[in-house]
């Protein structure tokens, strides 16, 4: 193979790189390279493969009829995307996937993951468990996001998100994985409204921040 699997891939957790690479022969992998801002999946289409990012990153986006885009999620090396839709092959995508930078992506046939191979690979059962774990974790992510964006005001949305981040990092000072526009997209607010509210919250002594590093003060 002319590629290497990321060592921190959740899909292959508990499986050595050598064992994972030997399993790929059963999974019919297809490697593709993409330039920055190139579409990987289009909303409205159906898929049967999930993408595993080897290099680069992708944005999971929602677009409206006027071309406005909102970033729903970002995925990087070792992360899987499209697996839920690949499991429901008759369900059209409600989202699009676009590369955030130059990327190398390995596409895996989801049916081959869910069906034990004829040679009964010793680690295939672990692979299926890992896939279910990835899907469960994403479901929890969406549940948390729903809790954040259903708050009534921009301030309440920001506080809900920052409180969760502080709890997750076990410290009041932490770095978030979003820039301003991405955070605004995540919280479903206008960037200008978000920036104004962050300034007010800092003036009110609730937070301190510099770029994407935040400290929750109260």
């Amino acid at each position: 193979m002319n590629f290497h699997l990321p060592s921190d891939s959740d899909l292959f957790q508990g499986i050595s790189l050598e064992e994972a690479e030997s399993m790929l022969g059963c999974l019919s992998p297809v490697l593709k390279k993409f330039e920055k801002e190139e579409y990987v999946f289009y909303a409205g289409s159906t898929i049967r493969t999930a993408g595993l990012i080897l290099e680069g990153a992708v944005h999971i986006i929602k677009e409206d009829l006027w071309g406005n885009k909102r970033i729903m999620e970002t995925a990087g090396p070792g992360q899987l995307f499209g697996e839920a839709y690949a499991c429901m092959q008759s369900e059209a995508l409600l989202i699009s996937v676009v590369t955030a930078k130059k990327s190398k992506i390995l596409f895996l046939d989801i049916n081959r993951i869910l069906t034990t191979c004829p040679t009964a690979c010793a680690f295939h059962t672990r692979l299926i468990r890992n896939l279910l774990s990835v899907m469960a974790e994403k479901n929890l992510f969406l549940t948390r996001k729903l809790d954040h964006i259903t708050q009534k005001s921009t301030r309440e949305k920001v506080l809900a998100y920052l409180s969760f981040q502080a709890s997750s990092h076990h410290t009041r000072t932490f770095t978030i994985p979003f820039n301003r526009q991405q955070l605004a997209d995540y919280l479903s607010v206008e960037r200008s409204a978000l920036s104004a509210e962050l300034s007010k919250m800092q003036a009110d002594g609730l937070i301190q921040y510099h770029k994407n590093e935040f400290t929750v003060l109260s």
Side-chain angles (χ1 to χ4, degrees), residues 6-21:
S7 59
D8 58 349
S9 172
D10 289 338
L11 182 62
F12 292 101
Q13 187 175 19
I15 303 172
S16 72
L17 288 177
E18 293 77 12
E19 292 160 344
E21 290 176 354

Side-chain angles (χ1 to χ4, degrees), residues 197-217:
E197 192 57 53
L198 288 175
S199 296
K200 291 177 183 177
M201 291 171 67
Q202 183 160 253
D204 291 344
L206 295 175
I207 62 172
Q208 288 181 344
Y209 65 91
H210 177 67
K211 295 185 178 180
N212 61 339
E213 181 178 277
F214 286 80
T215 298
V216 178
L217 300 176

Side-chain angles (χ1 to χ4, degrees), residues 76-96:
Q79 292 185 293
L80 198 66
F81 63 90
E83 68 286 345
Y85 285 101
C87 286
M88 302 176 63
Q89 295 174 15
S90 61
E91 191 73 22
L93 290 167
L94 295 176
I95 48 84
S96 295

Side-chain angles (χ1 to χ4, degrees), residues 58-88:
V58 301
H59 289 319
I60 315 299
I61 66 171
K62 183 78 172 178
E63 298 176 283
D64 62 24
L65 293 175
W66 295 271
N68 298 310
K69 301 177 183 179
R70 288 188 294 116
I71 297 174
M72 310 297 290
E73 186 182 352
T74 298
Q79 292 185 293
L80 198 66
F81 63 90
E83 68 286 345
Y85 285 101
C87 286
M88 302 176 63

